[in-house]
């Protein structure tokens, strides 16, 4: 083996060889091995791969590689979730236009161009990480062939009664001029102003004081409410009160949900200032005044304020209130406002005609299914359950955008009848194509308008479990459905995990996945959110180029408990790199000593104490690592293997057996064979256990040292080791531990005397404390002598507290140099 560990060369080589070998292809014809399918999230193409992506794909890939070695037929697919506001906004910014400025086709073409570029960048990063994806499965949600699936699912859900069109209040982004779902609203803390405004009572000189942070909504005031238990105000319930500046009156109503302690305890109900207004309007059957237009201006309903944008209207109304003597005072408050998760504009609530998916009736089923499957870590399931319980509205699935899957619907121009595409029509774009019918089935009309609204991008990505399994094209798609594992980030549980659940439950009456793996977010080294402006940003391509995939993957695997947020620390990657160098060096050393070793000739098993000791510990390590992988505790798996490799295998075993391997004339061929056998098998086991985490280096060593004997074309398709109970030897472990603490005590002695570790010891006297212990220590003398370079070792049974005490034992040692 070459002396230097050249990770760039090794990693590139294996990435392309694995692809040539085709070992990551799911075998669609194999019905013998059990399938294991990973519901890989199709990411939004957003440019360069970032460290968050590195964390996610390392998780997915470790599971895929581990399961493959467990003998499963693994499906690890990869798609790209192309559509969405994010891309539209970036195209607008890059070209300095608004989407309505250019023909829609041109705009879509620019979106596709940008998405293709971003996919190229992200794919390069994912390949560099060495993810074992089956690239024959690659798909893009913007391709008409994928539209086909999204549209088909829409048609089927429509037929099952889950899709409806209605005029309901929805979250609305005025900047992007589109409806958005609850899940796309971020809540941010902001400083606002509370205005105390006089509302005069009808036929009276009395007034009530109302505190509001949104005075611009006064023109849409439809009622004033107080808590019926609030004795300051409950005698006003039922009376009329005039809306300031508007020359009209509304009724004062009683409503238990009013908090008497907020503001003045008197509240204006406007359509719609917030979600509470929506609830009150529905409950008390109040009229709706549509105050805002779709681009965030005041409508005709706002009388003299019509045409102003929200902020302008606020200023104008506050000025008029002040002039009229109706503004009593203002005060600053901290408030939470909803903003669009893409463009950060403040979200408004508008009542508009939209397409909805009936999701509220599925909430109980979502919760039940979430509870029935394992989550890694378990507590994360509450995020889905809490979100589901908190939802008030059905899912608004239509969007007023361009770059998206079209809704396969037309309307009859004369009677308004809805014409839905037949299953055989899709993919189809009603914005450009006519429905394949001669006339309207209701009125016989022959002219139709295609739906110009398009589908929410989550409508594309929330059928992945079925799509990955081969739906709707493969008759046997249920073989891979539900997906074995759904990996999700803490940030997308409320969207992706939730939408997958409701979509598949509605479509197939079956949950989409049988387990969930959650990853946290990647933070900067300072524990804050990673961002370029905070100067704590690490660019994934730079990290991968500098330290290689195997080192970086160790950071991802070992950076923290699964599901927790993980800081990116360059020193973690560096530690990973140094570990690989250590492993490379020890493998080089072993391959020299094992040059003529023929593993097929069963070693004559005269195992020495330390052989039995490390073989037993290796079995226990295997058990711990297997359990950790089963529970997706990657940090535990990687720490166990690294500590064992470094501090048990390299520090003690390899040092101890050097003499036995170099000097067979002294110790005999059988003894040497036992050491060779042990060295060979333990190293192989470590490579196997590490293979899911650091696939490249383990493959390189495997190919150089083990290919012929073990016979698997890649370590990645070798069979995961089963714990061999016959090799577990508690007595050998205990006795071997004593030998190693004697070694470390002597090493400490050298260190304190400022001697190098390989400094020879002329005489080493070991006082065992009793005859029994002396027998044990004598079994390890050869190894102790080799490790410590001790010329003479004397083991005495007597108890003599002299020299250095060895750990917790009764053993003492004395050294002479
Ligand atoms: Zn927006
Ligand atoms: Zn008609």
């Amino acid at each position: 083996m070459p002396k230097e560990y050249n990770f760039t060369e090794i990693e590139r080589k294996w990435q392309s060889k694995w692809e040539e070998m085709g070992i990551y292809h799911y075998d669609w014809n194999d019905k013998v091995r059990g399938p294991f399918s990973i519901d890989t999230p199709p990411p939004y193409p957003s440019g360069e791969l970032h460290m968050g992506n590195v964390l996610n794909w390392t998780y997915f890939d470790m599971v895929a590689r581990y399961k493959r070695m467990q003998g499963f037929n693994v499906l690890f697919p990869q798609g790209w979730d192309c559509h969405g506001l994010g891309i539209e906004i970036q195209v607008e910014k890059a070209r300095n236009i608004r989407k309505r400025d250019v023909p829609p086709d041109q705009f879509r073409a620019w979106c596709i161009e940008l998405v293709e570029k971003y996919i190229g960048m992200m794919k390069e990063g994912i390949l560099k990480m060495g993810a074992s994806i089956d690239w024959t499965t690659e798909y893009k949600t913007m391709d008409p062939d994928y539209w086909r699936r999204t549209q088909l699912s829409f048609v089927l859900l429509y037929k099952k009664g889950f899709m409806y069109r209605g005029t309901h209040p929805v979250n609305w982004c005025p900047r992007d001029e589109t409806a958005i779902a609850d899940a796309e609203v971020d809540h941010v803390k902001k400083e606002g102003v509370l205005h105390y405004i006089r509302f005069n009572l009808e036929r009276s000189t009395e007034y009530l004081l109302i505190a509001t942070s949104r005075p611009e909504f006064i023109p849409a005031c439809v009622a004033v409410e107080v808590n019926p238990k609030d004795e300051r105000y409950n005698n006003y319930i039922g009376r009329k009160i005039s809306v300031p500046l508007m020359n009209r009156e509304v009724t004062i109503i009683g409503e238990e949900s009013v908090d008497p302690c907020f503001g003045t305890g008197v509240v204006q109900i406007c359509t719609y200032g917030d979600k509470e207004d929506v609830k009150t309007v529905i409950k008390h059957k109040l009229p709706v005044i549509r105050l805002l237009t779709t681009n965030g201006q005041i409508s005709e309903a706002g009388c003299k304020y019509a045409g102003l944008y929200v902020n302008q209207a606020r200023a104008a109304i506050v000025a008029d209130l002040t002039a009229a003597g109706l503004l009593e005072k203002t005060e600053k408050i901290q408030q939470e406002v909803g903003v669009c998760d893409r463009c950060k504009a403040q979200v408004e609530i508008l009542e508009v005609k939209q397409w909805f998916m009936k999701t509220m009736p599925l909430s109980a089923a979502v919760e039940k299914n979430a509870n029935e499957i394992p989550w890694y870590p378990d507590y994360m399931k509450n995020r889905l359950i809490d979100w589901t319980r908190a939802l008030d509205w059905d899912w608004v699935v239509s969007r007023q955008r361009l770059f998206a899957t079209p809704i396969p619907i037309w309307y009859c121009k004369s009677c308004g009848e809805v014409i839905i595409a037949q299953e055989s029509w899709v993919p189809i774009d009603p914005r450009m194509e006519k429905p394949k019918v001669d006339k309207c089935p209701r009125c016989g009309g022959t002219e139709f308008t295609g739906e110009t609204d398009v589908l929410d991008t989550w409508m594309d990505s929330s059928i992945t479990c079925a799509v990955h399994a081969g739906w709707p094209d493969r008759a046997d798609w249920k073989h891979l459905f539900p997906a074995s594992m759904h990996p999700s980030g803490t940030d997308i549980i409320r969207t992706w995990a939730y939408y997958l659940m409701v979509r598949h439950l509605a479509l197939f009456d079956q949950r989409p996945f049988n387990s969930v793996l959650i990853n946290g977010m990647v933070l900067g080294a300072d524990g804050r959110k990673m961002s370029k402006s905070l100067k704590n940003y690490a660019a994934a391509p730079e990290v991968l180029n500098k330290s290689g995939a195997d080192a970086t993957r160790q950071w991802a695997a070992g950076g923290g408990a699964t599901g927790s947020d993980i800081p990116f620390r360059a020193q973690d990657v560096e530690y990973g790199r140094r570990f690989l160098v250590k492993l490379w060096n020890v493998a080089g050393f072993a391959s020299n000593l094992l040059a003529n070793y023929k593993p097929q000739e069963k070693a004559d098993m005269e195992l020495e104490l330390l052989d039995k000791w490390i073989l037993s510990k290796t079995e226990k390590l295997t058990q711990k690592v297997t359990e950790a992988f089963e529970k997706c505790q990657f940090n535990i798996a990687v720490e166990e293997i690294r500590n064992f490799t470094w501090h048990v295998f390299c520090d003690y075993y390899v040092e101890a057996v050097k003499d036995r391997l170099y000097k067979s004339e002294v110790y005999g061929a059988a003894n040497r064979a036992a050491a060779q056998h042990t060295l060979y098998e333990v190293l192989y086991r470590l490579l196997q256990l590490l293979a899911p985490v650091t696939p490249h280096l383990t493959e390189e060593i495997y190919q150089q040292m083990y290919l012929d004997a073990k016979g698997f074309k890649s370590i990645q398709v070798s069979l995961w080791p089963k714990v061999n109970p016959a090799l577990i030897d508690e007595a050998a472990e205990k006795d071997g531990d004593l030998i190693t603490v004697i070694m470390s005590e002597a090493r400490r002695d050298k260190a304190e005397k400022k001697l190098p570790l390989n400094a020879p010891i002329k005489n080493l006297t070991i006082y065992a404390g009793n005859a029994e212990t002396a027998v044990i220590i004598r079994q390890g003398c050869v190894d102790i002598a080799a490790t410590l370079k001790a010329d003479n070792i004397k083991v005495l049974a007597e108890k003599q507290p002299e020299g250095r005490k060895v750990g917790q034992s009764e053993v003492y040692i004395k050294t002479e140099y």
Side-chain angles (χ1 to χ4, degrees), residues 85 89 173-178 180 340-345:
L85 262 183
I89 293 170
C173 174
R175 189 226 166 258
D176 298 318
E177 294 185 47
T178 179
I180 57 176
C340 168
D341 73 347
R342 293 281 152 201
C343 77
K344 307 301 170 200

Side-chain angles (χ1 to χ4, degrees), residues 76 95 111 118 146 161 392 433 472 494 558 565 575 607 704:
F76 184 8
R95 308 220 172 229
C111 289
Y118 283 169
Y146 196 94
D392 320 287
E433 296 166 79
R494 67 181 188 175
D565 290 346
Y575 179 77
L607 295 174
Q704 302 234 15

